[in-house]
Amino acid sequence: MRQRALLLMVLVSALLTASGCSSIKNFVTPAGVKLDWESVTLSVAAGANRDYPLAIDVVLISDESLAQKIIGMPAREWFSARDSLRKAFPEALSVNSVELAPGESIKLADQRWSGRRVAAALVFADYLVAGPHMARIETLRGRVQLDFGASQFTAFSLEK
């Protein structure tokens, strides 16, 4: 009986010590948000961006510290740094780039969205007018809709 109690105490102590270790903690509860997207639809309104095509990036970031750096970037800075960031962090960064003319829409129906864990999911739009033109979208669910207007955009979901 006494040996069981001692064994139980050792086990509890080991578990408490291990719970402070981030690699064990991430194994038990993986870091990041699990995406629950069926599709991502991008729609650019007629006349948007002064009637010029609009470059749009949907960015998935798996590294928390990298996510914090990129979240603070306005779109212009993102588009300037995008290529060098992709080269520097190929495993932590996934970028889906499209360019749409005003009045166009596209549905990015890709099964790689669903179930993927990310530190952040961001959308950047390269409007001609100044502004941050960035949104976080990792908490959206189901069918993700991105509507690009004259000089700004909205992101929302049409849940399952």
Side-chain angles (χ1 to χ4, degrees):
M1 185 77 156
R2 189 175 193 126
Q3 286 179 334
R4 274 189 175 173
L6 183 60
L7 181 61
L8 182 61
M9 285 177 31
V10 168
L11 234 139
V12 168
S13 175
L15 285 173
L16 289 174
T17 303
S19 68
C21 179
S22 65
S23 62
I24 291 175
K25 192 174 184 180
N26 286 341
F27 179 75
V28 175
T29 309
V33 174
K34 189 175 181 181
L35 296 179
D36 188 14
W37 301 346
E38 287 176 27
S39 63
V40 178
T41 301
L42 296 79
S43 298
V44 179
N49 199 36
R50 297 182 185 161
D51 262 341
Y52 284 93
L54 183 62
I56 303 162
D57 283 353
V58 178
V59 182
L60 306 180
I61 308 164
S62 60
D63 180 76
E64 183 63 40
S65 61
L66 179 60
Q68 292 309 311
K69 291 176 186 171
I70 294 174
I71 287 168
M73 290 183 174
R76 289 239 166 93
E77 186 178 337
W78 161 255
F79 284 102
S80 293
R82 174 183 63 191
D83 292 338
S84 60
L85 287 169
R86 285 173 106 168
K87 288 177 187 173
F89 303 100
E91 299 297 318
L93 207 53
S94 172
V95 181
N96 289 284
S97 299
V98 296
E99 188 170 306
L100 298 174
E104 286 188 320
S105 291
I106 188 170
K107 183 177 182 181
L108 305 175
D110 194 335
Q111 291 304 319
R112 66 183 159 169
W113 307 121
S114 192
R116 183 165 176 181
R117 287 201 172 271
V118 297
L122 309 173
V123 177
F124 291 97
D126 196 14
Y127 279 99
L128 293 173
V129 297
H133 308 301
M134 187 276 289
R136 290 188 74 166
I137 60 170
E138 69 268 12
T139 58
L140 299 179
R141 301 175 42 122
R143 295 183 319 269
V144 175
Q145 180 70 41
L146 304 169
D147 287 344
F148 298 87
S151 60
Q152 59 186 352
F153 70 96
T154 57
F156 57 96
S157 61
L158 306 167
E159 293 202 29
K160 298 177 183 177

